[in-house]
mmCIF file of all heavy atoms in Angstrom:
data_model
loop_
_atom_site.group_PDB
_atom_site.id
_atom_site.type_symbol
_atom_site.label_atom_id
_atom_site.label_comp_id
_atom_site.label_asym_id
_atom_site.label_seq_id
_atom_site.Cartn_x
_atom_site.Cartn_y
_atom_site.Cartn_z
ATOM 1 N N ASN A 87 -10.864 -20.343 7.462
ATOM 2 C CA ASN A 87 -10.097 -21.388 6.787
ATOM 3 C C ASN A 87 -9.231 -20.841 5.657
ATOM 4 O O ASN A 87 -8.373 -21.556 5.131
ATOM 5 C CB ASN A 87 -11.033 -22.462 6.233
ATOM 6 C CG ASN A 87 -11.751 -23.220 7.333
ATOM 7 O OD1 ASN A 87 -11.170 -23.507 8.376
ATOM 8 N ND2 ASN A 87 -13.020 -23.547 7.106
ATOM 9 N N ALA A 88 -9.464 -19.597 5.270
ATOM 10 C CA ALA A 88 -8.688 -18.974 4.193
ATOM 11 C C ALA A 88 -8.746 -17.471 4.350
ATOM 12 O O ALA A 88 -9.625 -16.932 5.035
ATOM 13 C CB ALA A 88 -9.225 -19.393 2.824
ATOM 14 N N GLY A 89 -7.811 -16.797 3.710
ATOM 15 C CA GLY A 89 -7.799 -15.341 3.750
ATOM 16 C C GLY A 89 -8.883 -14.746 2.876
ATOM 17 O O GLY A 89 -9.457 -15.414 1.998
ATOM 18 N N CYS A 90 -9.175 -13.484 3.108
ATOM 19 C CA CYS A 90 -10.199 -12.745 2.355
ATOM 20 C C CYS A 90 -9.876 -12.734 0.855
ATOM 21 O O CYS A 90 -8.726 -12.525 0.460
ATOM 22 C CB CYS A 90 -10.265 -11.322 2.902
ATOM 23 S SG CYS A 90 -11.076 -10.116 1.849
ATOM 24 N N GLU A 91 -10.914 -12.924 0.026
ATOM 25 C CA GLU A 91 -10.707 -12.917 -1.430
ATOM 26 C C GLU A 91 -10.209 -11.560 -1.916
ATOM 27 O O GLU A 91 -9.270 -11.463 -2.712
ATOM 28 C CB GLU A 91 -12.006 -13.268 -2.168
ATOM 29 C CG GLU A 91 -12.486 -14.692 -1.935
ATOM 30 C CD GLU A 91 -13.508 -14.772 -0.818
ATOM 31 O OE1 GLU A 91 -13.491 -13.896 0.076
ATOM 32 O OE2 GLU A 91 -14.319 -15.715 -0.830
ATOM 33 N N GLY A 92 -10.867 -10.492 -1.446
ATOM 34 C CA GLY A 92 -10.474 -9.159 -1.891
ATOM 35 C C GLY A 92 -9.063 -8.797 -1.455
ATOM 36 O O GLY A 92 -8.293 -8.208 -2.226
ATOM 37 N N CYS A 93 -8.717 -9.149 -0.211
ATOM 38 C CA CYS A 93 -7.356 -8.887 0.264
ATOM 39 C C CYS A 93 -6.348 -9.695 -0.541
ATOM 40 O O CYS A 93 -5.211 -9.243 -0.764
ATOM 41 C CB CYS A 93 -7.236 -9.232 1.746
ATOM 42 S SG CYS A 93 -8.188 -8.146 2.830
ATOM 43 N N SER A 94 -6.753 -10.873 -0.983
ATOM 44 C CA SER A 94 -5.863 -11.688 -1.807
ATOM 45 C C SER A 94 -5.606 -11.015 -3.148
ATOM 46 O O SER A 94 -4.508 -11.117 -3.708
ATOM 47 C CB SER A 94 -6.467 -13.080 -2.018
ATOM 48 O OG SER A 94 -6.619 -13.752 -0.780
ATOM 49 N N TRP A 95 -6.595 -10.317 -3.667
ATOM 50 C CA TRP A 95 -6.388 -9.535 -4.888
ATOM 51 C C TRP A 95 -5.315 -8.474 -4.661
ATOM 52 O O TRP A 95 -4.431 -8.269 -5.491
ATOM 53 C CB TRP A 95 -7.691 -8.849 -5.302
ATOM 54 C CG TRP A 95 -8.659 -9.708 -6.053
ATOM 55 C CD1 TRP A 95 -8.966 -11.008 -5.800
ATOM 56 C CD2 TRP A 95 -9.457 -9.308 -7.167
ATOM 57 N NE1 TRP A 95 -9.923 -11.449 -6.692
ATOM 58 C CE2 TRP A 95 -10.244 -10.430 -7.551
ATOM 59 C CE3 TRP A 95 -9.601 -8.129 -7.874
ATOM 60 C CZ2 TRP A 95 -11.140 -10.385 -8.604
ATOM 61 C CZ3 TRP A 95 -10.504 -8.076 -8.929
ATOM 62 C CH2 TRP A 95 -11.265 -9.201 -9.289
ATOM 63 N N VAL A 96 -5.425 -7.771 -3.518
ATOM 64 C CA VAL A 96 -4.447 -6.729 -3.210
ATOM 65 C C VAL A 96 -3.055 -7.339 -3.101
ATOM 66 O O VAL A 96 -2.071 -6.806 -3.626
ATOM 67 C CB VAL A 96 -4.819 -6.005 -1.907
ATOM 68 C CG1 VAL A 96 -3.735 -5.010 -1.510
ATOM 69 C CG2 VAL A 96 -6.158 -5.286 -2.061
ATOM 70 N N ALA A 97 -2.961 -8.480 -2.420
ATOM 71 C CA ALA A 97 -1.667 -9.145 -2.267
ATOM 72 C C ALA A 97 -1.127 -9.631 -3.606
ATOM 73 O O ALA A 97 0.084 -9.580 -3.847
ATOM 74 C CB ALA A 97 -1.788 -10.308 -1.289
ATOM 75 N N ASP A 98 -2.003 -10.088 -4.487
ATOM 76 C CA ASP A 98 -1.579 -10.520 -5.820
ATOM 77 C C ASP A 98 -0.879 -9.383 -6.572
ATOM 78 O O ASP A 98 0.018 -9.620 -7.384
ATOM 79 C CB ASP A 98 -2.779 -10.986 -6.646
ATOM 80 C CG ASP A 98 -3.230 -12.399 -6.300
ATOM 81 O OD1 ASP A 98 -2.427 -13.161 -5.718
ATOM 82 O OD2 ASP A 98 -4.388 -12.741 -6.615
ATOM 83 N N ALA A 99 -1.319 -8.144 -6.314
ATOM 84 C CA ALA A 99 -0.781 -6.991 -7.042
ATOM 85 C C ALA A 99 0.509 -6.453 -6.433
ATOM 86 O O ALA A 99 1.184 -5.635 -7.052
ATOM 87 C CB ALA A 99 -1.822 -5.869 -7.085
ATOM 88 N N MET A 100 0.843 -6.903 -5.230
ATOM 89 C CA MET A 100 2.080 -6.442 -4.611
ATOM 90 C C MET A 100 3.275 -7.003 -5.366
ATOM 91 O O MET A 100 3.238 -8.118 -5.890
ATOM 92 C CB MET A 100 2.139 -6.864 -3.141
ATOM 93 C CG MET A 100 1.155 -6.142 -2.249
ATOM 94 S SD MET A 100 1.284 -6.691 -0.526
ATOM 95 C CE MET A 100 0.019 -5.666 0.234
ATOM 96 N N THR A 101 4.345 -6.223 -5.411
ATOM 97 C CA THR A 101 5.510 -6.629 -6.177
ATOM 98 C C THR A 101 6.755 -6.433 -5.336
ATOM 99 O O THR A 101 6.676 -6.217 -4.129
ATOM 100 C CB THR A 101 5.576 -5.834 -7.491
ATOM 101 O OG1 THR A 101 6.656 -6.318 -8.290
ATOM 102 C CG2 THR A 101 5.768 -4.354 -7.230
#
Side-chain angles (χ1 to χ4, degrees):
N87 294 322
C90 163
E91 294 95 334
C93 293
S94 298
W95 279 41
V96 175
D98 281 340
M100 290 180 180
T101 185

